Amino acid sequence: MSTIVLGTLSSLYRSALSLYPEPLRREREELGRLFDDLLERQRRRSPLAATWFALRSLADVILVGLPARVLEALGLRGASGRDPGGRRDPQRSDRWLQSLLQDLGYAHRHFQRRPLVALASIGSLALGIAATTAIFSLFDALVLRPVAVAHPDRLVGMVSLRENGTNSTFPYPDFQVVRPAVADALDLVAYSNRPTTVRLGDGPEAASERLYVALVSAGYFTALEVDATLGRVFDQQTVADGSYLAVASHSFWSGRLSGEPAAIGRTFVVNDQPVTLIGVAPPGFRGLHGDVEPALYLPLSHQPVASAELLEAHTTSWLFWAGVLEPGASRAEAEARLEAVTMAHWQEIGRDFELGIELQHTPTGFPLPLRDYRPFVQLSMAVVVLVLLVACANVASLLLASGASRMREIGARQCLGAGRGRLVRQLLTESLLLGLVAGAAGVTLALLLVRALVGREPLASQLGGLEVGIDARVLGVALALTLAVSILFGLAPALQLLRRNAAAALRGAGGSAEHGRLLGQRALVVAQIALSFATLVLAALFAVSLRELQAIDPGIERAPVLMASIDLEAAGYEGERVGPFFAALLENVSAIPGVESAALTRSRPVSPAGSRMGYEVPGYVAGPDEDMELDTNVVSQDYFLTLGIELEEGRTFEPLDAAPGTTPVAVVNRIFAERFLSGRNPVGRTITSGMFMLIEGSPEVRVIGVVADGKYRSLREEPRPMVYLPHERVAAQLGDRMTLLVRTAGDPLAVHEEVRAAVHSVDPRVPPYSVITLEEQLERAVANERLTTALLGALAAFAVLLAGVGLFALLTYWTRLRRPEIGIRVALGARPGEVVRGVVSFTLALVAAGCVAGVALAMPLARVLEAQLYSIQPTNPAVYVAGAFLLLAIGALAGALPSHQTARVDPVKVLRQD
């Protein structure tokens, strides 16, 4: 049993001790120390013995202390287990286990007689606990869990400030200048995850794999105070000897390398260069990037992945920076020092578009790429808490309803001498039994829910660097949650039953005398309706938003197209070798039976990743704040044909456009032509780009065609200018990382293996990756919205179901109390329909009150989420009216069923019984 589990159990026990009355609460620290000592003794015997001891101790505190605390609050004497003189009764204390077993046996027999109440309660709570536990595991991984470094409280990330927002990456030469200058306040590190080809086997024929490696500054492990669990990590001194060295991640070592200690000293081939493994990172450390866990860590200053040109480029931002504050240095001081040094350096080299630098203190959920998922997880956490409250209110309603039949039983036990504390403990034992069974079922179901959540896009591809699961922290929260909700839904029915007069309960007094006791249950039902209405409205808003997004025309045909990415940079290709590889690949793929066309693209359709280049248009005067860095895609000749992009003017690329000495050409989209080339025919106009000055020696690019607008980075985006460049012309400089598009006559996945074979036939060292269909790519464009809508829809359906069950329970209880009155009315000539209408009217009034309260709750929540909605206002009246009508229909059905059955009873039998 780990130290974390022991600490969690100790914290739970100390928290539970606050349930004791005042005299025992004074001994809280002493009791806590005694519990820790006894728990440690049991742990030495076995983990099972320690677990059983902890559960027994918690049960003792809750089942003995809570009733005593309740009765103490009610002003009753003798609740604490002590006599009036303050002496503790040792026999009463020693008999707690026997009494507990009696209570459990009685609770078991009670629920055997009422299986529907038990099953409905367990099912409601199990689903609520499962949903809450599953979402909390995500919340814990992204928001609460500290990064596995020595001082997460001193860990900071950084971004640069620009006119159009922030930038999170920096050039390597800047890091070399800034790091030593700020060492007195901040220990700076740089890192970047890069895909590359790694050959693990021996011999030149061994297959290469595409793995992510982390390129990190030499002092990366030293600054973070992360030591190797096996071997050693590299630092400034070990990197200086010039050898290619690597540290393996713990999961890569334990998985792919079989956890062999002999792996230290083993040589891998990375980009055709031998690299020696010198150590293994500790378990739990996954780097700082977050979205992908690297297999290997390599020092930036000496590695075979990033080119020397990339390391020396002052204009290429590709490295994340982070740092650890020096002891005694504040974040404000470190930020001021860093900004002064960095801005002075940027002014010196002419990097005038940087406006400043900002430190972000994020010791939990640190990875910057995962920030976008925090709002989703926080929203989900808030909604599941609402649904859990609905579940608790529902179970409380069920227990209150079933309690109507227990009035005589409780009255009889009181008349026979049972004390109130004993009865409270018995009733709480019943609720805890339900809660523990529901908690066990909920945790089991939560395991399946977590797997389902992290297996859906986009979480599946974005959470590769995080462990999301049910660990000791999450189990501790689930246990605390189970105990809390058990007390929450069990205490109100217990107090309501014990407030009744024992003699009146034995006589069966009810009717109008009990109507006033329905106020609390009515409030529970109204609260259920309000929470359910708010959840239902949020789900409906996101469902409409998703429907509107899916109806958007992306500017391409939804044709059967297979997509596979090829990374030649990671395989060591560069310069003039790139073009011939892709030319041979397109030829091989086009020859596959069933393939209609094949093409290459640098940017995948409707993908947030993309390239931008700076342009100038002769005759067009840009505004003072206008951004002339425009989206640019590198594509092959058949790109527009393969994706079905409409040509509106001119032509697309032809083989002649790649001939040396000809004028570079480009195809633009309609919005580019209208904004920058309006007034005359855009075909034949010239635009200029500094990139082409570097590539061709001349900045001029001639526009040869105009194609229809599309959606490039997101379906939500407004029309944006796009420039297409021919891959055949710029492959050596811009075309080493491409995506192959294969349009087929049938199912595109049917040619998957043939396409893979075509790639290997050109070079077996180049593995295709991220192989999906175009339809899957378009679905990923709305993956966040689909995930949110699916989750909210499921939670809303569950909440509405619980609200219906709660209504039914209340009305069953209410009609049972009114049976004498209904019998008299029927005997005097009232028709069953009139009785039913009265109950339904009462139900609709409750539902209407709940909907009104739900509107007050839903509108502020919807306004907070307005930025995540598309083409629908958060106050859309149709959504609110539809939600209210649905709940009113459910309420009418819930009211008609029990009232119809009660109205058809024989009035003579009812009056004779009552």
Side-chain angles (χ1 to χ4, degrees), residues 334-371:
E335 181 175 276
R337 175 68 174 156
L338 178 67
E339 185 171 44
V341 172
T342 307
M343 291 301 294
H345 171 66
W346 283 341
Q347 289 175 6
E348 182 181 343
I349 63 175
R351 196 179 173 93
D352 54 2
F353 52 85
E354 304 283 8
L355 304 180
I357 199 162
E358 179 181 281
L359 294 188
Q360 298 180 339
H361 190 195
T362 53
T364 59
F366 174 79
L368 293 177
L370 298 178
R371 289 181 301 177

Side-chain angles (χ1 to χ4, degrees), residues 14 89 119 198 245 286 308 408 439 509 552 632 731 768 773 817 843 895:
R14 282 175 163 77
D89 183 358
L119 291 176
V198 179
L245 307 175
R286 306 178 185 282
R408 288 188 175 89
I552 293 175
T632 303
T773 66
L817 290 177
T843 307

Side-chain angles (χ1 to χ4, degrees), residues 79-365:
S80 64
R82 298 170 183 255
D83 61 19
R87 295 184 302 273
R88 188 179 179 112
D89 183 358
Q91 292 184 347
R92 182 177 182 181
S93 178
D94 294 340
R95 292 197 303 268
W96 76 268
L97 182 58
Q98 180 181 359
S99 177
L100 173 61
L101 294 176
Q102 290 176 349
D103 289 343
L104 290 174
Y106 186 83
H108 179 256
R109 291 191 297 272
H110 169 71
F111 289 120
Q112 274 188 322
R113 294 193 297 269
R114 295 169 177 82
L116 291 179
V117 173
L119 291 176
S121 301
I122 291 173
S124 299
L125 284 175
L127 288 173
I129 291 172
T132 307
T133 303
I135 297 299
F136 177 77
S137 66
L138 276 176
F139 186 79
D140 176 60
L142 288 174
V143 180
L144 299 181
R145 187 184 302 170
V147 181
V149 299
H151 302 287
D153 56 315
R154 305 205 317 253
L155 183 64
V156 293
M158 52 208 69
V159 295
S160 64
L161 307 178
R162 298 181 178 179
E163 286 186 3
N164 57 351
T166 61
N167 177 59
S168 57
T169 55
F170 305 84
Y172 183 56
D174 293 359
F175 173 80
Q176 293 177 299
V177 172
V178 172
R179 182 185 180 277
V182 299
D184 55 340
L186 186 69
D187 200 347
L188 201 63
V189 298
Y191 59 96
S192 177
N193 280 3
R194 310 283 287 184
T196 190
T197 55
V198 179
R199 190 167 71 243
L200 302 181
D202 297 325
E205 301 301 323
S208 297
E209 302 180 47
R210 184 179 186 272
L211 300 176
Y212 274 91
V213 299
L215 305 183
V216 301
S217 53
Y220 182 80
F221 293 103
T222 305
L224 301 178
E225 296 185 36
V226 173
D227 202 1
T229 190
L230 184 68
R232 60 191 173 92
V233 297
F234 51 76
D235 53 22
Q236 299 281 1
Q237 183 175 358
T238 55
V239 170
D241 66 5
S243 302
Y244 286 128
L245 307 175
V247 173
S249 68
H250 193 274
S251 61
F252 178 75
W253 170 75
S254 60
R256 297 301 308 281
L257 303 183
S258 303
E260 293 281 350
I264 302 300
R266 181 174 170 180
T267 298
F268 305 131
V269 178
V270 180
N271 273 3
D272 293 329
Q273 294 291 338
V275 176
T276 303
L277 184 68
I278 64 170
V280 178
F285 179 73
R286 306 178 185 282
L288 300 181
H289 199 269
D291 56 348
V292 176
E293 181 181 8
L296 301 170
Y297 297 87
L298 278 68
L300 264 168
S301 56
H302 197 66
Q303 40 72 33
V305 179
S307 65
E309 292 79 6
L310 183 63
L311 293 177
E312 296 169 2
H314 286 273
T315 58
T316 305
S317 298
W318 63 288
L319 287 171
F320 291 97
W321 288 4
V324 178
L325 297 173
E326 293 294 337
S330 69
R331 182 161 64 102
E333 294 171 347
E335 181 175 276
R337 175 68 174 156
L338 178 67
E339 185 171 44
V341 172
T342 307
M343 291 301 294
H345 171 66
W346 283 341
Q347 289 175 6
E348 182 181 343
I349 63 175
R351 196 179 173 93
D352 54 2
F353 52 85
E354 304 283 8
L355 304 180
I357 199 162
E358 179 181 281
L359 294 188
Q360 298 180 339
H361 190 195
T362 53
T364 59

